Amino acid sequence: MSATELATASDLRSLAEQSNAWPFEQAKAIVARLKKKPKDEVLFETGYGPSGLPHIGTFGEVARTTMVRHAFRVLTDDKIRTRLLAFSDDMDGLRKVPDNVPNRDMMATHLGKPLTRVPDPFSNEYPSFGAANNARLRAFLDHFGFDYEFASATDYYTSGRFDETLLKMLAVYDKVMEIILPTLGPDRRATYSPFLPISPRTGVVLQVPMVERNVDKGTIVYIDPDTNEKVETTVTGGAVKCQWKADWALRWTALGVDYEMAGKDLIDSVKLSSKICTALGGTPPEGFNYELFLDEQGQKISKSKGNGLTIDEWLRYASPESLSLFMYREPKAAKRLHFDVIPRHVDEYQQFIDAFGKQDGKQQLANPVWHMHSGKPPKIEMPVTFQLLLTLVSSSNAENAETLWGFIGRYRPGVTPQTHPKLDAMVNYAINYYRDFVAPTKKFREPTDSERAALQDLRDALSRMPADASAEDIQNAVYEIGRREPFLDHKKLAKDGRPGVSLDWFNMLYQVLLGQEKGPRFGSFVAVYGVPNAVAMIDGALARSA
């Protein structure tokens, strides 16, 4: 087997069976499931609650499930049909008005109604709030090229797709209550029912106890909380929806879902829904509980609060691929989903791409880009890093792509926006990121007397170097100038036995010269920025602190 391709499907499957990459581990559980209960088709599902604007966590579930789906196809030689259903719980009642939407007063008049019966607060483009948010989610998933089918809870309930299982739910009502009631407090137990009637009078999703159940007729009876009158309604045709734990089980049973992952906060809910699914005669799906995304303060992100990055925000500052890498990594570890994670993921994505072609088959299946690109990662040449572009923007105060391309073209002749469109996109990402996050926090610190002396020596050393000096020669010069107190690292020895140079030296360069805490390899930066420009930058810093 070569480093760039696997010889046969069986070779690939053999390596996949040995791989401990998490998508393969998940896919193996589905393969084991099919050995117990063979099927001609495997259904993967993801859920979306459109009570708020779509956020990256929603995308992450689709991206990760897609990775597991592809891993399963490899393990089964793609001989079993698979589908991915992106299911929207758009029949849920609007419990509160989100903080980050317009026309909040209008929305407040529709509290309690299904999301698909609440008017669109953004415009008149969509028939409802639920439809508007569904459209936003679908547009993003389409942008990424996901292979999925979209499903609306409203459509499935009202079309009768769930009718047969709803009648089963009515028949095993007592078993469902036995599963759920012990988990509820006294007040909630008094009103709980797996069925939530949609009031024919107000359109509100009602949380009311059942006073009668008629299995033969397929109806339930409840007391209207406003009129105190008895109301009988069918459980089919969209006249009711289920409480969400029961709703989850209903869906798994009715559709035969084989795989669905969920957040760590839903561990207990998964267990309860699985018990209800079993009571309905279904088999709970395989899956795992991923950790939650956290905001800057370490709090769980929320669609309604809008305290996490939105899909559009990430794509303003970085490539879709960088977001996919963020989703692939450590799904069972809590991760901060904040703007400062973006640059690292942009550059590390390229590092994985660069490494892929040099790896053997086993290593390739452990490489995130194999899973991100369904086994066919692209070949992308990226002459400069995102971190380096950010530093170039910062050092030159570049407000346009042409300025950055001037630096890049001098550093790498022949590299243009036309020859490297991915780099051209990254240039614009870097400008956006700099304007929004770097420039507002830019703060130069003054050098100490010993740092001034070191900067003067660095300025003199660079001024003696040719304008086309290599990044490596520049880095060596920078390193030698930094080989002095207080920057010596006595724990890290150089090849000649002398003390190494600590990161404090390089951090000082960025803090004093660029007004930022850290940056890329300094020699690479100077090579792209230009030796004369770097000398002028040091002169400016020395003049500021004189």
Side-chain angles (χ1 to χ4, degrees):
M1 252 178 291
S2 72
T4 56
E5 62 179 351
L6 302 169
T8 66
S10 61
D11 291 330
L12 177 57
R13 186 183 68 251
S14 177
L15 288 173
E17 289 170 346
Q18 301 169 45
S19 175
N20 59 3
W22 71 261
F24 283 122
E25 292 297 308
Q26 291 296 297
K28 290 171 189 175
I30 307 172
V31 171
R33 173 190 180 91
L34 293 187
K35 290 180 179 179
K36 298 177 183 177
K37 190 175 181 180
K39 292 179 64 177
D40 295 330
E41 176 184 275
V42 168
L43 181 62
F44 295 80
E45 185 182 62
T46 63
Y48 167 56
S51 58
L53 300 179
H55 64 72
I56 288 177
T58 308
F59 160 75
E61 195 167 302
V62 180
R64 288 167 170 169
T65 303
T66 296
M67 295 173 192
V68 176
R69 180 188 182 189
H70 177 254
F72 173 81
R73 294 176 64 182
V74 170
L75 287 172
T76 57
D77 293 331
D78 206 13
K79 292 179 179 178
I80 299 176
R81 184 170 180 253
T82 63
R83 295 166 52 220
L84 171 58
L85 195 66
F87 198 97
S88 173
D89 292 306
D90 57 17
M91 202 168 168
D92 288 351
L94 179 67
R95 290 181 294 176
K96 64 178 181 178
V97 179
D99 297 331
N100 53 353
V101 298
N103 298 310
R104 298 182 76 245
D105 290 342
M106 177 276 292
M107 291 192 70
T109 65
H110 295 276
L111 286 174
K113 293 181 181 178
L115 298 171
T116 44
R117 295 189 188 181
V118 177
D120 178 7
F122 306 103
S123 66
N124 293 320
E125 183 178 358
Y126 298 99
S128 69
F129 179 52
N133 283 338
N134 287 343
R136 284 169 172 78
L137 175 72
R138 295 174 69 177
F140 184 67
L141 298 181
D142 291 342
H143 176 77
F144 269 80
F146 285 119
D147 176 19
Y148 73 99
E149 299 171 28
F150 180 79
S152 158
T154 300
D155 292 344
Y156 275 50
Y157 271 101
T158 57
S159 68
R161 291 282 297 272
F162 287 156
D163 282 359
E164 181 180 347
T165 312
L166 283 164
L167 292 173
K168 287 182 182 178
M169 183 81 71
L170 183 61
V172 298
Y173 185 95
D174 289 335
K175 289 184 179 179
V176 175
M177 296 291 277
E178 288 173 5
I179 292 168
I180 295 294
L181 291 184
T183 69
L184 304 176
D187 292 342
R188 191 72 186 88
R189 279 201 300 269
T191 62
Y192 182 84
S193 166
F195 297 110
L196 299 175
I198 312 297
S199 171
R201 185 174 54 82
T202 65
V204 169
V205 181
L206 300 175
Q207 295 203 30
V208 291
M210 301 296 103
V211 295
E212 293 179 31
R213 301 187 309 279
N214 304 300
V215 176
D216 293 339
K217 293 172 61 179
T219 65
I220 53 175
V221 179
Y222 63 93
I223 304 296
D224 187 305
D226 295 327
T227 65
N228 208 34
E229 296 176 341
K230 280 188 176 183
V231 179
E232 183 174 13
T233 184
T234 63
V235 298
T236 56
V240 306
K241 75 171 298 293
C242 285
Q243 295 269 8
W244 85 270
K245 294 183 183 70
D247 183 84
W248 217 359
L250 173 86
R251 191 190 313 165
W252 290 345
T253 306
L255 305 180
V257 176
D258 295 289
Y259 186 88
E260 181 164 3
M261 59 179 68
K264 186 178 180 181
D265 57 336
L266 299 180
I267 289 177
D268 290 338
S269 298
V270 170
K271 292 178 180 177
L272 290 173
S273 295
S274 296
K275 290 180 180 179
I276 297 173
C277 178
T278 301
L280 291 170
T283 302
E286 306 300 319
F288 77 97
N289 294 101
Y290 54 81
E291 264 288 3
L292 307 177
F293 297 129
L294 309 176
D295 65 10
E296 185 180 15
Q297 280 73 44
Q299 301 297 311
K300 174 189 171 183
I301 64 171
S302 164
K303 293 189 297 294
S304 60
K305 290 181 181 178
N307 61 329
L309 280 176
T310 66
I311 291 166
D312 291 339
E313 283 171 335
W314 186 293
L315 293 184
R316 171 172 166 77
Y317 307 115
S319 65
E321 292 82 4
S322 64
L323 177 55
S324 292
L325 176 61
F326 180 84
M327 294 304 168
Y328 175 84
R329 286 178 145 169
E330 301 175 314
K332 293 190 177 183
K335 295 186 292 185
R336 288 175 65 255
L337 180 56
H338 195 59
F339 297 105
D340 57 5
V341 308
I342 291 177
R344 176 169 64 90
H345 284 84
V346 174
D347 285 336
E348 291 185 355
Y349 168 74
Q350 186 61 39
Q351 291 168 15
F352 285 121
I353 286 289
D354 292 340
F356 187 81
K358 306 169 188 175
Q359 296 173 325
D360 61 26
K362 181 178 180 181
Q363 293 170 327
Q364 287 181 345
L365 295 195
N367 189 323
V369 298
W370 189 91
H371 299 275
M372 291 162 52
H373 295 285
S374 297
K376 298 178 180 178
K379 295 180 180 179
I380 303 172
E381 182 194 5
M382 198 61 68
V384 297
T385 65
F386 188 63
Q387 186 65 64
L388 182 52
L389 284 178
L390 286 176
T391 304
L392 282 173
V393 180
S394 182
S395 59
S396 62
N397 292 315
E399 290 294 320
N400 58 73
E402 289 75 17
T403 302
L404 283 182
W405 274 107
F407 292 124
I408 297 169
R410 185 181 63 245
Y411 174 63
R412 290 289 300 271
V415 174
T416 69
Q418 291 71 38
T419 62
H420 290 70
K422 289 284 189 181
L423 177 57
D424 189 38
M426 197 161 77
V427 163
N428 290 292
Y429 292 142
I431 292 172
N432 290 340
Y433 193 93
Y434 170 76
R435 286 173 178 167
D436 292 351
F437 303 113
V438 180
T441 61
K442 200 170 183 180
K443 185 178 180 181
F444 297 91
R445 79 166 175 85
E446 294 204 1
T448 64
D449 289 342
S450 61
E451 290 170 346
R452 279 185 62 83
L455 285 170
Q456 183 65 56
D457 290 345
L458 177 59
R459 182 247 182 242
D460 294 342
L462 291 176
S463 66
R464 293 191 293 269
M465 300 188 77
D468 60 350
S470 70
E472 196 62 33
D473 288 342
I474 296 170
Q475 184 72 10
N476 289 337
V478 173
Y479 197 84
E480 283 304 313
I481 297 298
R483 196 188 294 278
R484 63 177 74 191
E485 292 294 354
F487 305 117
L488 291 179
D489 185 345
H490 295 278
K491 296 181 181 179
K492 185 170 59 177
L493 299 181
K495 292 181 180 179
D496 58 9
R498 292 187 296 167
V501 178
S502 73
L503 288 177
D504 292 342
W505 163 240
F506 297 98
N507 292 341
M508 182 277 290
L509 294 177
Y510 286 101
Q511 293 163 8
V512 172
L513 300 179
L514 292 168
Q516 61 192 56
E517 287 300 311
K518 296 181 180 180
R521 199 165 185 261
F522 198 77
S524 299
F525 160 66
V526 173
V528 180
Y529 189 48
V531 172
N533 290 332
V535 170
M537 176 187 292
I538 298 174
D539 286 340
L542 292 173
R544 279 198 308 270
S545 61

